[in-house]
Amino acid sequence: MLTLVAATGCSQDSPDEKPAKGIVLDLGGEIAVLEEFDSKPEIVGYRPEGTETLDTYRLTSPSQLQSGDIVGIRDGGAVAISPAEPGKATLLAQATAWFPSVDAAKVWTVTEQARAIACPGDEVPTTVRARYTITEHETSGRPARRVLPLPCGVQPVAQTTGGIVAQQTTHDEAVSGTATRARTSVVILDKSGAVGSIVAKNSTVVAALADRIIWRPDDCAGGSCTKVYNTQTKKSQNAPACEAGDSVGTGLLAAGGRWYATTIRTGSGNRLGVLDLEKSTCRDLGIFSALEQTADVDQELGAMWSGSNLFLLDQRTGELVEHNAPTGRVERRRQPLTVTNGAQVWGALKA
């Protein structure tokens, strides 16, 4: 059950903001649209015959661009979907991952080659498994615009106003016996794909978009270790503090990079927080039972930003909540949705 306990810290940045319309969902094998938040789901993509236990529509890493297009990975390829016609998908390219371009209108797809083939003779840590190439695409499916092979040991994560953000494996560290783990630095690449600057050593990217990079030091032990790097000032500072506890897990940045949804770990259970990175505040949205087993908000909670609206879908119970970040408004669907196989919110017509 997705239990909303509290919502505090409302602002009046946009007091006339209303609930989103035309909400697109994958119910776990069927694509549906909610004309209004509490409307009966209209099925626009039916479950294919013989797939009762499968979800052939499911997207990996789904996100809605500012243009309105919904993008994700399906069956090994990056696809773009218009919320006006969610039953149709345009294949952009074969890919293992993707991220939005900095203008939020195009996408970068990520492909990889095995180290043995792509890094012959390179002196790189043994934990490096592949070499990555990124390619820029328009969501219309037109031919690729830019192709950028990256050095071995550099894994792309996102594009910001400062450039492509990546994790560079710098060395291996012995853990126990013969086991090792990779040590990485958060870096920004130059236009050629080489490392141009280092954001933080011995650290990991949590999220990145627009002019912000959320990262954590690898050796963080207790307390809040989440950092926010601003690509304009080229400085890092602590993430906004939450009264209930520390931000943990993998969160989600909204388009524009101002709002960050994250799990807040407390002694009485995981809560959900929305950080305002401009005003350095934390809005506590309460306890969500879907976060009991994971601190990553895009897993069983099925979180998704559509513009400044955060959708929260309990993938077990079908309960749906919408939170508007500028106003603090919270809308809870009266009737839970019928879901299976880990349902997803994809976005809305008015992103």
Side-chain angles (χ1 to χ4, degrees):
M1 181 177 181
L2 190 155
T3 306
L4 181 62
V5 173
T8 61
C10 298
S11 69
Q12 298 298 320
D13 292 351
S14 182
D16 295 327
E17 191 76 30
K18 296 180 180 179
K21 296 184 178 181
I23 302 168
V24 183
L25 311 102
D26 172 12
L27 299 179
E30 291 184 312
I31 301 175
V33 175
L34 303 177
E35 183 178 345
E36 305 281 350
F37 191 71
D38 280 305
S39 298
K40 179 181 178 180
E42 177 189 356
I43 305 301
V44 296
Y46 290 90
R47 183 183 297 278
E49 186 176 351
T51 63
E52 288 74 14
T53 61
L54 301 174
D55 182 358
T56 60
Y57 296 112
R58 184 172 178 82
L59 300 175
T60 301
S61 303
S63 182
Q64 186 170 26
L65 307 180
Q66 286 185 331
S67 65
D69 288 321
I70 299 158
V71 180
I73 302 292
R74 179 187 291 167
D75 296 330
V79 297
I81 298 168
S82 167
E85 295 184 286
K88 298 180 181 179
T90 300
L91 177 63
L92 305 181
Q94 296 302 306
T96 57
W98 79 281
F99 51 86
S101 63
V102 73
D103 63 6
K106 296 182 288 293
V107 304
W108 290 92
T109 58
V110 182
T111 55
E112 57 185 76
Q113 281 186 299
R115 167 185 171 161
I117 298 173
C119 310
D122 288 8
E123 294 184 5
V124 293
T126 57
T127 51
V128 173
R129 303 301 183 194
R131 182 175 185 175
Y132 299 92
T133 297
I134 56 174
T135 305
E136 188 183 46
H137 300 270
E138 296 183 13
T139 56
S140 63
R142 292 175 182 171
R145 298 167 58 88
R146 294 173 59 196
V147 180
L148 194 61
L150 304 183
C152 287
V154 173
Q155 182 173 5
V157 175
Q159 186 178 29
T160 66
T161 55
I164 300 292
V165 179
Q167 291 188 166
Q168 180 185 27
T169 301
T170 56
H171 62 282
D172 295 335
E173 181 179 77
V175 179
S176 62
T178 59
T180 60
R181 67 174 177 177
R183 282 292 192 174
T184 60
S185 292
V186 179
V187 300
I188 297 178
L189 308 182
D190 62 23
K191 292 182 179 179
S192 70
V195 174
S197 61
I198 299 174
V199 173
K201 295 182 179 179
N202 296 326
S203 57
T204 302
V205 178
V206 180
L209 199 64
D211 58 5
R212 290 185 173 87
I213 302 170
I214 314 295
W215 64 275
R216 292 195 185 102
D218 292 336
D219 292 329
C220 172
S224 179
C225 301
T226 303
K227 308 291 183 180
V228 182
Y229 178 86
N230 189 308
T231 61
Q232 302 300 317
T233 63
K234 298 183 180 180
K235 294 180 179 179
S236 290
Q237 62 184 26
N238 291 334
C242 300
E243 184 176 347
D246 298 329
S247 59
V248 296
T250 301
L252 292 176
L253 275 167
R258 175 175 177 177
W259 311 102
Y260 179 62
T262 183
T263 299
I264 305 171
R265 179 169 292 162
T266 75
S268 58
N270 288 341
R271 304 172 74 87
L272 186 75
V274 175
L275 308 186
D276 184 340
L277 303 182
E278 284 189 9
K279 296 186 176 181
S280 195
T281 59
C282 172
R283 181 176 291 131
D284 184 352
L285 294 185
I287 292 177
F288 288 82
S289 59
L291 292 174
E292 291 174 356
Q293 302 300 320
T294 177
D296 298 334
V297 299
D298 61 344
Q299 297 301 313
E300 290 191 28
L301 186 55
M304 164 68 79
W305 285 102
S306 180
S308 58
N309 289 321
L310 175 66
F311 291 98
L312 308 165
L313 175 64
D314 190 316
Q315 298 178 339
R316 296 168 298 176
T317 68
E319 294 183 86
L320 179 67
V321 172
E322 179 189 353
H323 165 66
N324 180 259
T327 65
R329 173 185 51 77
V330 174
E331 189 85 6
R332 181 177 180 135
R333 183 176 166 85
R334 298 188 190 95
Q335 184 67 35
L337 297 162
T338 301
V339 298
T340 58
N341 301 324
Q344 300 175 313
V345 181
W346 285 355
L349 279 175
K350 294 186 177 181

